[in-house]
Amino acid sequence: MPSMYDGAIQALIDAFAKLPGIGPKGAQRIAFHLLNVDESDAQELARSIIDMREKVRFCDVCGNVCENSPCPICADPRRDHTTICVVQEPKDVMSIERTHEYRGVYHVLGGAINPMANVGPQDLNIVSLVRRIQDAEKDDNAEPIQEIILALNPDIEGEATTTYLSRLLSPVGIEITRLASGLPVGGDLEYADEVTLGRALAGRRAVG
Amino acid sequence: MPSMYDGAIQALIDAFAKLPGIGPKGAQRIAFHLLNVDESDAQELARSIIDMREKVRFCDVCGNVCENSPCPICADPRRDHTTICVVQEPKDVMSIERTHEYRGVYHVLGGAINPMANVGPQDLNIVSLVRRIQDAEKDDNAEPIQEIILALNPDIEGEATTTYLSRLLSPVGIEITRLASGLPVGGDLEYADEVTLGRALAGRRAVG
């Protein structure tokens, strides 16, 4: 008895099941969805995968994904090019952009230091960050960097990377900051874990 | 400030977010995954979408998905062609095949009666089921159908379809059965809902 679908449909299910966050049942559901949608919709999905691979590059300045280097943020003269926010992934740039609170530029490391997964400082875009700071220092037309904001994930790998970068960059004499830890807005004190609550207490601020 | 990614990557995120079970965050995660995998893996996914659309057909006999009609199950002489199991979707065929308990053939309706979604009997493969039963009756080389198993989902739409089909087919004089309702194997009586428990009680069987 067949335990798999006939040829092409099983191949599609297998291809989707390899993607992150999609299990075998989800892959099957997507395959049957794609069987029932308009031909043009299915082709558009296939074409957008190929298109993305052909067009997407990494920005030579900040390491973010873009179609033309430098990326729109690095090329924007209205942004503050003296403040660099260091993040792990391109999606973190998007998260910070959505706050509409940041007018500086970015540097995308492409990950965080993780000895368990064999990711060391040499695997991240750290050399390009140091060179970027030095170049701004030397270049008479560019303003020197004033502040580096370390906006890494609040987990073990992010903390390790924050520690590494702050030690590496502190001799340069630029202000180095990190994101505040504390209670999430809209959260409930009762449900905050003790580490978060401890950080919120340690980082308490005067009212008014 | 940009609230979207540059061109092709946003187009890919949008295309994935249209698929069932994938939200905007999941689509973003998949897009960055596809940016980092080998070129050949990304191309394979795109090709398997196009391939599936080109190759997959519906079986002229049972309505299941296949590459060549009749499908491998309908074309298999070792199967019992006098028993037809009626299911809603091709994935239900696969679920029943995985039990290794069924040796008959199938009929895939392509859905269930659902007045809220404007799906009536005329939208399902019901005419082809009736014709299939009649053809087996008339054809001297084929054995007449002995049993129709209605294996529809145990929800409102499935129940409506089961009722409709049993009324439609009962005058034909063929045995019509349905799947047993009861406690799921490995389940816990405490957590069974009252409808399921009621059905399990009504359908109780002599022990040994």
Side-chain angles (χ1 to χ4, degrees):
Chain A
M1 296 184 204
S3 64
M4 305 230 295
Y5 292 93
D6 221 13
I9 206 153
Q10 188 64 43
L12 185 62
I13 293 173
D14 292 344
F16 269 104
K18 280 186 201 161
L19 300 179
I22 302 184
K25 294 249 169 180
Q28 177 179 287
R29 195 172 157 211
I30 290 167
F32 283 111
H33 171 83
L34 288 174
L35 184 62
N36 293 321
V37 296
D38 288 346
E39 179 78 31
S40 61
D41 283 0
Q43 280 178 343
E44 188 195 309
L45 177 61
R47 201 179 325 111
S48 58
I49 295 169
I50 300 293
D51 249 36
M52 187 272 288
R53 288 294 299 218
E54 277 176 6
K55 291 185 184 164
V56 174
R57 305 273 171 276
F58 293 99
C59 174
D60 293 326
V61 180
C62 72
N64 195 7
V65 290
C66 61
E67 291 197 7
N68 298 297
S69 179
C71 72
I73 294 175
C74 288
D76 187 345
R78 291 166 304 172
R79 299 197 68 126
D80 170 12
H81 289 257
T82 68
T83 305
I84 298 177
C85 180
V86 178
V87 295
Q88 292 180 204
E89 304 288 351
K91 63 177 186 287
D92 301 328
V93 171
M94 212 42 56
S95 299
I96 294 175
E97 286 297 287
R98 281 199 205 96
T99 68
H100 298 286
E101 295 278 349
Y102 183 63
R103 299 287 305 135
V105 291
Y106 294 92
H107 199 86
V108 180
L109 295 178
I113 294 169
N114 184 353
M116 302 288 283
N118 268 323
V119 180
Q122 71 285 356
D123 301 310
L124 305 174
N125 294 329
I126 290 177
V127 172
S128 63
L129 174 62
V130 174
R131 194 176 306 135
R132 193 174 167 187
I133 297 167
Q134 291 170 339
D135 287 354
E137 205 73 47
K138 281 184 233 155
D139 187 348
D140 293 337
N141 296 321
E143 283 184 274
I145 308 300
Q146 305 287 340
E147 183 181 355
I148 306 276
I149 304 170
L150 301 174
L152 297 142
N153 281 343
D155 57 12
I156 296 174
E157 293 78 24
E159 287 299 318
T161 311
T162 298
T163 307
Y164 178 88
L165 286 177
S166 65
R167 282 186 193 155
L168 181 76
L169 300 175
S170 59
V172 187
I174 297 170
E175 187 179 13
I176 297 168
T177 57
R178 56 178 298 166
L179 297 184
S181 291
L183 297 179
V185 177
D188 191 322
L189 208 126
E190 183 181 353
Y191 299 117
D193 65 285
E194 52 272 38
V195 179
T196 301
L197 196 52
R199 292 268 179 93
L201 205 58
R204 66 192 180 277
R205 294 166 45 173
V207 178
Chain B
M1 297 184 199
S3 64
M4 305 229 295
Y5 292 95
D6 222 12
I9 206 152
Q10 188 64 42
L12 185 62
I13 293 172
D14 292 344
F16 269 104
K18 280 187 203 162
L19 300 179
I22 301 183
K25 293 250 170 180
Q28 178 179 284
R29 193 169 158 213
I30 291 168
F32 283 111
H33 171 83
L34 288 174
L35 185 62
N36 293 321
V37 296
D38 289 345
E39 179 78 31
S40 61
D41 283 0
Q43 279 177 344
E44 188 195 309
L45 178 62
R47 203 179 324 111
S48 58
I49 296 169
I50 300 293
D51 250 35
M52 188 272 288
R53 290 293 300 217
E54 276 175 6
K55 291 185 183 163
V56 174
R57 303 275 170 274
F58 293 98
C59 174
D60 293 327
V61 181
C62 72
N64 195 8
V65 290
C66 60
E67 291 197 7
N68 297 298
S69 178
C71 73
I73 295 175
C74 287
D76 188 344
R78 292 165 305 173
R79 299 197 66 126
D80 171 11
H81 289 258
T82 67
T83 306
I84 298 177
C85 180
V86 178
V87 296
Q88 291 180 205
E89 303 288 351
K91 62 178 188 288
D92 301 326
V93 171
M94 213 43 56
S95 300
I96 294 176
E97 285 297 289
R98 283 198 204 98
T99 67
H100 298 287
E101 296 278 348
Y102 183 63
R103 300 286 303 133
V105 290
Y106 294 92
H107 199 85
V108 180
L109 295 178
I113 294 168
N114 185 352
M116 303 288 282
N118 267 325
V119 180
Q122 72 284 353
D123 301 310
L124 306 173
N125 295 329
I126 291 178
V127 172
S128 63
L129 174 63
V130 174
R131 195 178 302 135
R132 193 174 167 188
I133 297 167
Q134 290 170 339
D135 286 353
E137 204 73 46
K138 281 185 234 155
D139 188 348
D140 292 338
N141 296 321
E143 283 184 275
I145 308 300
Q146 303 287 338
E147 183 182 355
I148 306 277
I149 303 170
L150 300 175
L152 298 142
N153 281 343
D155 57 14
I156 296 173
E157 292 79 23
E159 288 299 318
T161 312
T162 298
T163 307
Y164 178 88
L165 286 177
S166 65
R167 282 186 194 157
L168 180 75
L169 301 175
S170 59
V172 187
I174 298 170
E175 188 179 12
I176 297 167
T177 58
R178 56 178 297 165
L179 298 183
S181 291
L183 297 178
V185 177
D188 192 321
L189 207 124
E190 184 182 353
Y191 299 118
D193 64 286
E194 52 274 36
V195 180
T196 301
L197 197 53
R199 293 268 179 94
L201 204 58
R204 66 193 180 277
R205 294 166 43 172
V207 180

